[in-house]
Amino acid sequence: MSDAVIEVEGLAKSFGGVPAVDGLTFSVARGSTTALLGANGAGKTTTLSMLLGLLIPSAGRITVLGEDMLRHRYRVLPRMNFTSPYVDLPHRLTVAQNLIVYGRLYGIRNIKARVARIADELGITPLLKRPTGNLSAGQKTRVALAKSLLNEPDLLLMDEPTASLDPESADTIRAYLVAYQRRTGATILLASHNMAEVERICGDVIMLRAGRLVDRGQPAELIARHGRSTMEEVFLAIARNEDGPPPDEATEREARKKAAP
Ligand code: ATP
């Protein structure tokens, strides 16, 4: 079996003829924590949604945990989970009820004990009896994280996992994710705008611009390659296109020049 948990080839998605994801090819290694970075609108959420099977690609192939996602996603969905600030849990249910419902959907045994344990680990025990709709943004983020870990996923897709968390809470959650990844060997792919977070927990980075992959590597490699001192500076340089066009655009331009009379 391949050591890649995610393999994406020529992935594309257009909305009304406008490309959001424009021919992505990449793989994500088993047991890695990989960041998907890019400016607003670069295509991160669209990519994660296609990896989950929530959006049908306009073109391309996705293999997750050895299965073709377009044909057999129900074989792998039980081994995956995700968290996103854009998905709201039902407001009127208490936090405990929500977690129990999701736990049952995943067929988890002893779900009440599992919910109690994960709530304790993530510091949300005091929230369990509260209606989910009344929680603050940061509290909702923690609950969504608990939901995403209920089934101990082998592949965890995270869209801005620490959005709205205060610095101390965000730090605790990052430490939890690192420990979870070490304990289970899970693979984590996360979209983030927090470059300090990426430097701290991600061993690998995929940079997107306008739906295309423009660079890839370990944070230290990217920092060295772009002659910068932090991932924040690398991000800004790539987002503003200060380091020249991505390789494929440069090659195309060169080819056009050669072809011109
Ligand atoms: P952000 O950092 O702001 O969350 P993102 O990198 O996650 O951005 P996406 O949400 O994937 O970006 O959006 C990529 C592009 O696709 C954007 O131009 C967006 O407006 C467009 N888009 C996304 N979803 C839809 C949709 N359902 N209908 C039309 N356009 C969409």
Side-chain angles (χ1 to χ4, degrees):
M1 197 177 178
S2 156
D3 211 35
V5 164
I6 300 174
E7 287 174 287
V8 161
E9 216 183 293
L11 187 66
K13 179 73 185 175
S14 297
F15 294 104
V18 180
V21 168
D22 195 9
L24 280 185
T25 297
F26 66 85
S27 62
V28 173
R30 185 179 305 278
S32 67
T33 299
T34 301
L36 200 53
L37 302 187
N40 293 138
K44 304 177 295 294
T45 301
T46 305
T47 302
L48 292 177
S49 301
M50 289 191 281
L51 291 173
L52 279 162
L54 298 174
L55 271 180
I56 305 293
S58 308
R61 293 185 48 192
I62 302 173
T63 308
V64 172
L65 293 159
E67 297 284 354
D68 179 343
M69 274 307 272
L70 297 178
R71 292 170 58 206
H72 300 303
R73 72 189 177 111
Y74 290 104
R75 288 186 192 164
V76 283
L77 284 176
R79 296 173 61 195
M80 301 169 68
N81 212 321
F82 77 103
T83 177
S84 163
Y86 308 114
V87 178
D88 235 358
L89 298 174
H91 281 196
R92 286 193 194 169
L93 297 187
T94 65
V95 169
Q97 286 168 336
N98 260 314
L99 294 177
I100 288 169
V101 167
Y102 277 92
R104 292 215 170 110
L105 290 175
Y106 279 99
I108 294 161
R109 274 185 260 154
N110 298 328
I111 181 61
K112 287 188 179 165
R114 174 89 187 118
V115 166
R117 201 178 87 214
I118 205 145
D120 181 47
E121 287 173 0
L122 293 174
I124 57 165
T125 306
L127 306 179
L128 285 176
K129 290 188 178 156
R130 292 190 43 194
T132 308
N134 294 349
L135 301 180
S136 75
Q139 289 168 336
K140 280 185 186 161
T141 301
R142 275 174 179 252
V143 172
L145 188 67
K147 186 236 78 170
S148 75
L149 293 162
L150 278 173
N151 61 330
E152 287 225 329
D154 293 327
L155 174 61
L156 187 52
L157 303 178
M158 314 187 90
D159 206 347
E160 300 180 42
T162 55
S164 336
L165 291 181
D166 68 71
E168 196 276 324
S169 300
D171 190 64
T172 308
I173 294 302
R174 283 179 206 124
Y176 184 90
L177 287 175
V178 169
Y180 174 77
Q181 201 276 328
R182 286 207 185 118
R183 177 170 63 81
T184 61
T187 306
I188 300 176
L189 178 64
L190 64 90
S192 177
H193 289 301
N194 184 323
M195 295 304 118
E197 170 167 291
V198 170
E199 280 188 55
R200 167 148 173 222
I201 70 172
C202 297
D204 196 7
V205 172
I206 293 169
M207 297 280 327
L208 300 184
R209 187 171 60 224
R212 291 182 176 197
L213 193 155
V214 289
D215 212 342
R216 169 95 198 242
Q218 295 172 3
E221 278 172 5
L222 291 174
I223 289 168
R225 182 148 68 236
H226 290 264
R228 312 281 162 163
S229 42
T230 61
M231 272 305 296
E232 184 96 22
E233 290 176 11
V234 172
F235 182 95
L236 290 173
I238 289 180
R240 292 172 182 161
N241 204 4
E242 288 172 357
D243 292 346
D248 53 346
E249 279 178 23
T251 313
E252 273 172 35
R253 192 173 304 165
E254 218 32 56
R256 274 202 303 273
K257 249 196 247 163
K258 277 188 191 150

